[in-house]
Amino acid sequence: MKDRYGRELEDLRITLTHVCNFSCFFCHMEGEGDLYVNGLTPDEIELVAEVSKEYGIKYVKLTGGEPTLRRDLTEIIYRLRNLGLEVSMTTNGYMLSKIASKLKEAGLNRVNISLHTLDKEKFKKITGVDGMDRVIEGIKEAINVGLKPVKLNFVATKMNINEAFNVIDFAEKIGVNELHLIELHPVGMGKIAFSYHEKLNNLENVLKEKALREGTRNKHYRPRFYLPSGLVVEIVKPYANPIFCSGCNRIRLTVDGKLKTCLYRDDNSIEILNILRSNLDKYHKMQLLKEAFDVAIAIREPNFKYII
Ligand code: SAM
């Protein structure tokens, strides 16, 4: 089903928790603010995902906070896969060396692992944790167990932009499939950290030179560069970018039970926790959830758009 701007939904991004074992200085907290509430239960998540399929959702992305801190993560993955959805997760990678094989067994298809530097001291400055070696072990284990494609997320700031090509080299050497170069968003702590913002234009120009070919992903019309090594580098530049918004096919399920229609907007969400926690039976809950999806699609709009 398309929204008023002709955009189909495909992708449901679910915040499982806001608890995190890292404290990245720029964290956008998925645009949800500092919410330390218990996340939705596996039953509740499954029900929303089941309804979302009727609205075109094919892919689910699990995020946080740190999703690997949820004890019931394998159960959630298993249930989502059982619905026929493709399931991926964004993680800081700290727990992966221990749990990647369990996640793969539960049905996790692929993974994005955040790695913003290869300098241990800088890693500690960015994340608040002396954990770079352990994250690198996690990345290797994700590759080892076949969570394919393994993607790295590199958020570029003044602190680390000079390292982008080191991280690209590293990704190529260890067999990572994709790397996302992400521009800092002024959302959550990213508003305070925005003085560290750096444009990606220069990096993009170098990538143009190095790439065998360029492409565009359907999602957000993100530019993609295919390097001779086989690594794909994708550019993620949402801020003040109407092209990005015009290709947005995502809806979010927040940790406190809302359908959130845009990372940047607090005023375009639909409360569904009251439906999920009501005494109604499954059929009637699903009917109300469908109404909530109808409204969410009706109010969904690009945050950045061309004004003619
Ligand atoms: N804890 C997990 C992690 O670190 O990957 C998942 C949650 S994190 C909020 C999801 C992704 O958003 C990570 O790749 C993170 O680096 C990225 N991110 C966080 N804050 C950001 C910001 N202000 N601008 C751009 N990306 C950001």
Side-chain angles (χ1 to χ4, degrees):
M1 186 188 279
K2 289 185 179 163
D3 68 15
R4 287 177 291 147
Y5 295 83
R7 304 176 306 168
E8 300 270 7
L9 280 190
E10 271 192 359
D11 174 357
L12 176 66
R13 187 167 175 109
I14 304 177
T15 305
L16 292 184
T17 176
H18 275 205
V19 177
C20 194
N21 42 2
F22 283 16
S23 46
C24 303
F25 74 97
F26 49 67
C27 186
H28 57 39
M29 297 177 256
E30 301 295 337
E32 297 175 26
D34 222 349
L35 283 172
Y36 287 93
V37 296
N38 287 331
L40 299 181
T41 65
D43 280 342
E44 291 164 349
I45 291 169
E46 186 182 14
L47 195 63
V48 177
E50 191 175 341
V51 172
S52 79
K53 281 184 65 179
E54 296 189 26
Y55 290 84
I57 297 295
K58 299 183 186 67
Y59 313 104
V60 174
K61 170 78 81 191
L62 304 175
T63 184
E66 179 45 43
T68 59
L69 298 183
R70 280 279 300 239
R71 292 199 176 162
D72 48 7
L73 179 59
T74 49
E75 185 186 346
I76 292 168
I77 292 169
Y78 178 79
R79 289 190 188 206
L80 293 169
R81 274 306 297 282
N82 242 5
L83 292 173
L85 292 159
E86 194 175 312
V87 184
S88 66
M89 176 178 75
T90 300
T91 171
N92 60 32
Y94 194 72
M95 301 298 290
L96 274 187
S97 58
K98 294 194 173 20
I99 63 169
S101 65
K102 271 197 226 151
L103 300 181
K104 171 81 182 163
E105 242 170 68
L108 186 67
N109 294 97
R110 50 195 170 81
V111 75
N112 288 55
I113 304 164
S114 299
L115 182 68
H116 314 299
T117 176
L118 287 169
D119 174 315
K120 279 191 192 184
E121 278 309 304
K122 220 182 268 176
F123 188 98
K124 204 168 152 190
K125 259 193 180 165
I126 293 173
T127 65
V129 174
D130 186 6
M132 196 186 84
D133 290 340
R134 191 162 151 174
V135 169
I136 289 175
E137 284 315 305
I139 296 169
K140 290 181 178 163
E141 182 62 3
I143 296 169
N144 189 30
V145 303
L147 285 171
K148 207 168 172 185
V150 170
K151 306 183 184 184
L152 297 188
N153 284 4
F154 177 98
V155 177
T157 64
K158 286 195 192 324
M159 210 188 276
N160 65 346
I161 190 140
N162 59 346
E163 279 200 76
F165 280 99
N166 293 349
V167 179
I168 288 174
D169 284 348
F170 165 80
E172 288 174 321
K173 279 194 189 107
I174 68 165
V176 162
N177 308 99
E178 269 188 49
L179 185 140
H180 291 183
L181 282 179
I182 305 173
E183 205 175 78
L184 188 70
H185 321 326
V187 174
M189 311 237 286
K191 278 188 197 156
I192 302 160
F194 208 58
S195 54
Y196 285 86
H197 176 261
E198 272 285 337
K199 288 194 165 183
L200 300 180
N201 301 20
N202 290 341
L203 293 179
E204 266 185 275
N205 288 337
V206 181
L207 285 164
K208 267 192 181 111
E209 296 282 313
K210 289 185 181 251
L212 290 178
R213 67 183 175 93
E214 291 175 42
T216 307
R217 187 167 172 189
N218 251 2
K219 180 189 202 163
H220 299 136
Y221 301 124
R222 299 175 184 187
R224 282 162 75 79
F225 296 95
Y226 296 81
L227 301 185
S229 61
L231 183 76
V232 181
V233 180
E234 187 169 287
I235 305 293
V236 185
K237 271 198 309 197
Y239 186 57
N241 185 354
I243 297 173
F244 188 95
C245 291
S246 69
C248 181
N249 55 21
R250 175 181 279 175
I251 192 158
R252 295 163 172 269
L253 176 58
T254 67
V255 78
D256 60 340
K258 293 191 181 88
L259 292 176
K260 181 173 165 70
T261 60
C262 176
L263 172 71
Y264 283 91
R265 299 273 298 263
D266 291 327
D267 58 342
N268 251 16
S269 300
I270 307 294
E271 169 76 53
I272 56 169
L273 190 68
N274 50 352
I275 303 172
L276 295 171
R277 304 242 160 124
S278 69
N279 291 326
L280 295 170
D281 59 22
K282 182 176 173 184
Y283 173 82
H284 287 97
K285 280 184 186 173
M286 285 179 89
Q287 295 310 308
L288 291 178
L289 287 175
K290 283 180 198 171
E291 284 177 22
F293 266 90
D294 287 336
V295 177
I297 290 169
I299 63 171
R300 215 173 157 261
E301 62 176 340
N303 190 47
F304 302 109
K305 42 189 177 290
Y306 291 110
I307 298 167
I308 305 167

